[in-house]
Structure formats: structure tokens, C-alpha cells
Amino acid sequence: MKILIYGAGIQGSYLAHSLIKGNNQVTLLARGKRKKELLERGLVLHHVIQHKHTKDPVHVIETLQPDDFYDLIFVTMKYSDFPAVLDPLAQNCSSTILFIGNQIDAAHLEKKLQEKSRLPKDIYFGFQMTGGTKTEKGLSVLRFGKGQMKIGSLHESFAIAPILDRVFKHTNYVWHYDPKLDDWLKNHATMIMIQNSFEYLYDFSAETIRKSGDLSTLADSFKEGFDLLAAAGHEILPKGQKFVFEHPSLTKKLFTLYYRLPISQMVQGDFREIYTLILDFERYQTNTPSELETLLLAAKRKYEKSHEPLAKIS
């Protein structure tokens, strides 16, 4: 299968590594320093838990041209970068597109891409179960077991299944269809938005959080955030997460333990992306004073002091 992975960060790079092993024709779209790294060194990854390095040859492009056909395009850009990729995707002749990653308003994204496209697109959404960090030595990938991805659609039709079966057939990667993926994505985006906003206020330092962080604020914010989603008619998923965040005292205990573990420093979001999630989450907020509103507002103001406003999908 001829595959384009639009974005060469941690998510796109690990996905490319997995698909190359499946004898697919994989192309990575990358720019700037990352493109140079890939051309000079190949696709080099450090798999933290597995204690191994991998290196794969990979084809790299910088721009998606209208006539560049691919059987499937995976978009692994940050949520904040989606506005910049809509026009190239709309003008391209490929019809099947799968957006991977944090997502709080999939319906709006799909609508805008269809409006811009010359021909109808088959649009799907997914989430890859990997994390990691960028280091001076390259990309470090954090994953448990084999590669996994949840995939779903905003419509009853799920015509992409045969394509995915072919794409992943000769890999050790597993994909799952999730009929409730839209709600799941909203839940996950809300969780990482709140957690990263809290950590951003402490400069992502677990030590600082342990010494002076108010975990009660974090715990209460989680409960308030998911209460807002539920009030908007979204199912709270997964069920275990719902139980934890309904009980702030339990949430506080779990995060007290979490910030004592090394993994707390290995999974960090890009706050540029988190800022965009906050802006889109505001539709759920009621302007009623709360721990959540105070937390998100403080994180927004800190970010805005040193960054330009971001473009939104309008």
C-alpha cells in the first residue's frame, strides 16, 4: 500500500517505523530540521521500555502536491496545526484520510475539509497509544507492547476496514474499531488539557509539583471538566476513568503517586497544542467560577505572555 504520514514527530515516526516493517511504501512529510535529520540519518527511534534503537530508511517529502496519490493518508500533526494542513489535503487527489491524535471537535474539522475539497473525502479519526519525548539524540518513544490504534468514524459507514487490514497485515501493530471514538477523543483531550495546563503552571517540573503543587485543584478540575462533557451529552469514557475522576480524593492520591514516578517526566504535551484545546473547550464552559476555569485561565494567560495568537479552523 502507498502510504503518506503527514507529520514526522513522535506519533508519525513510530507509525512510519511500524508500517515500513509491513512492506508498505511509506512516505513521511517533514520540514526544516526534522526533514534534514531524516535525510541524513534515516528514521532513528529509541524505544524506552524495550531498551532498543531502530533505524529505517524512509522516503521524505516536504510538500504534498495535488497529484500525489496515496491509498491512505495518516495526519499525525498536532491539533493546533490542523488549520495549516486543510488546504493541501483538500487540493490533493487522495480520498482516504485518517486524522490521528488529540481531537475535541472532529465534526467541525471534517466539515471544513469537505467544504474545501474538490471531491468528497473519506475521513476517519484515530488515536495511537504511544507517547515520548524529543531529545538531543533523537526521538524517544514510550509504548507498552506492540503498536496500537483506536479508529472510528463520525458516520455509520466504516469502509476503511479492508484498507487498514492490508496496511497492518504484515506488522505487529494492532488497530481496533471504536464506535464511540468521538466521545472517547473528547474525554482524552479534556484529560490531557487539564493535566498539561496544571503542569505548565509549574514548568512541567514533577519536583516543583511535589513541593508546592495543589493537587486538590487538579483533582477538582478533572471532575468539573468531565461534568461539563456529560452535561453536553457526551458519554464519559473509559468507565474506569469516569469512576476515578468522579472522586477527587482518589484522583489526588493517584496523582500524588504519579508525580513520584520517572514516567511523569517522560510524557509531556506541546502546550501550543494544549492552548488550542483550551480555546475549543470553552464552548463547554458556563462562566461559573470554578477550579477548572481558574486553572485554564491561568495557563492561557501564561502562554499568551510569550506567544502569538494561534489560527483556528473557522
Side-chain angles (χ1 to χ4, degrees):
M1 299 288 282
K2 192 174 181 182
I3 307 298
L4 173 66
I5 299 177
Y6 202 126
I10 293 166
Q11 299 297 332
S13 295
Y14 179 69
L15 181 58
H17 161 72
S18 299
L19 295 180
I20 288 169
K21 293 193 299 182
N23 298 318
N24 295 287
Q25 298 178 49
V26 178
T27 297
L28 266 174
L29 190 148
R31 299 189 177 97
K33 182 180 177 181
R34 183 60 179 148
K35 177 187 176 185
K36 183 179 179 182
E37 290 174 350
L38 290 166
L39 292 175
E40 292 179 350
R41 303 173 56 203
L43 179 57
V44 179
L45 298 176
H46 172 53
H47 305 257
V48 177
I49 294 176
Q50 291 74 22
H51 298 289
K52 69 174 185 177
H53 285 79
T54 56
K55 181 176 181 179
D56 303 291
V58 63
H59 181 238
V60 182
I61 63 171
E62 184 172 348
T63 305
L64 177 61
Q65 300 295 337
D67 294 330
D68 293 342
F69 173 78
Y70 297 93
D71 296 298
L72 176 58
I73 297 178
F74 290 93
V75 183
T76 61
M77 306 292 284
K78 297 290 187 182
Y79 184 75
S80 49
D81 294 325
F82 285 155
V85 307
L86 288 184
D87 285 341
L89 290 172
Q91 295 162 11
N92 180 258
C93 62
S94 308
S95 62
T96 307
I97 301 172
L98 176 49
F99 286 92
I100 304 297
N102 294 316
Q103 183 58 248
I104 209 163
D105 195 356
H108 186 60
L109 177 63
E110 179 176 316
K111 177 183 177 183
K112 289 302 176 181
L113 180 52
Q114 294 289 20
E115 289 176 351
K116 289 175 174 286
S117 298
R118 295 174 297 169
L119 299 172
K121 303 284 189 182
D122 294 321
I123 302 171
Y124 301 88
F125 296 88
F127 193 89
Q128 183 171 246
M129 306 301 182
T130 52
T133 57
K134 294 180 181 179
T135 69
E136 293 181 357
K137 297 181 180 179
L139 297 184
S140 294
V141 177
L142 182 65
R143 61 183 174 88
F144 298 92
K146 63 184 72 175
Q148 296 184 53
M149 187 184 296
K150 300 165 73 76
I151 301 173
S153 169
L154 301 184
H155 313 283
E156 292 184 4
S157 172
F158 194 71
I160 196 176
I163 297 176
L164 294 172
D165 286 340
R166 290 180 60 190
V167 165
F168 292 113
K169 183 175 181 180
H170 298 292
T171 72
N172 62 352
Y173 197 106
V174 177
W175 72 272
H176 304 280
Y177 169 63
D178 187 339
K180 298 180 179 180
L181 187 69
D182 187 36
D183 279 346
W184 189 93
L185 288 171
K186 285 179 169 61
N187 278 263
H188 182 80
T190 300
M191 181 183 71
I192 65 105
M193 175 193 70
I194 294 171
Q195 182 178 346
N196 276 266
S197 294
F198 177 78
E199 293 174 356
Y200 182 63
L201 295 176
Y202 296 94
D203 298 319
F204 293 107
S205 170
E207 181 179 359
T208 303
I209 291 172
R210 287 196 301 271
K211 290 179 178 179
S212 58
D214 185 355
L215 293 181
S216 294
T217 293
L218 177 63
D220 290 340
S221 295
F222 276 129
K223 184 178 187 307
E224 292 167 4
F226 288 103
D227 284 347
L228 288 173
L229 284 183
H234 302 298
E235 185 174 353
I236 305 304
L237 300 168
K239 300 294 185 183
Q241 178 175 286
K242 176 183 178 182
F243 175 80
V244 170
F245 292 143
E246 282 180 344
H247 299 84
S249 60
L250 177 57
T251 305
K252 183 177 178 180
K253 290 178 182 178
L254 290 176
F255 276 89
T256 299
L257 174 62
Y258 172 77
Y259 288 118
R260 292 173 180 168
L261 301 175
I263 193 174
S264 66
Q265 292 296 101
M266 297 169 63
V267 184
Q268 295 179 2
D270 176 352
F271 203 77
R272 183 173 181 270
E273 178 181 33
I274 300 303
Y275 178 83
T276 311
L277 289 172
I278 293 173
L279 295 180
D280 285 347
F281 185 80
E282 287 176 348
R283 76 193 63 185
Y284 296 110
Q285 294 181 258
T286 59
N287 295 319
T288 302
S290 66
E291 294 280 14
L292 177 62
E293 182 180 17
T294 300
L295 171 64
L296 298 184
L297 182 59
K300 275 180 58 179
R301 286 177 173 170
K302 179 178 178 179
Y303 183 86
E304 290 168 349
K305 286 182 179 180
S306 56
H307 296 82
E308 293 293 327
L310 301 180
K312 296 183 67 177
I313 300 173
S314 58

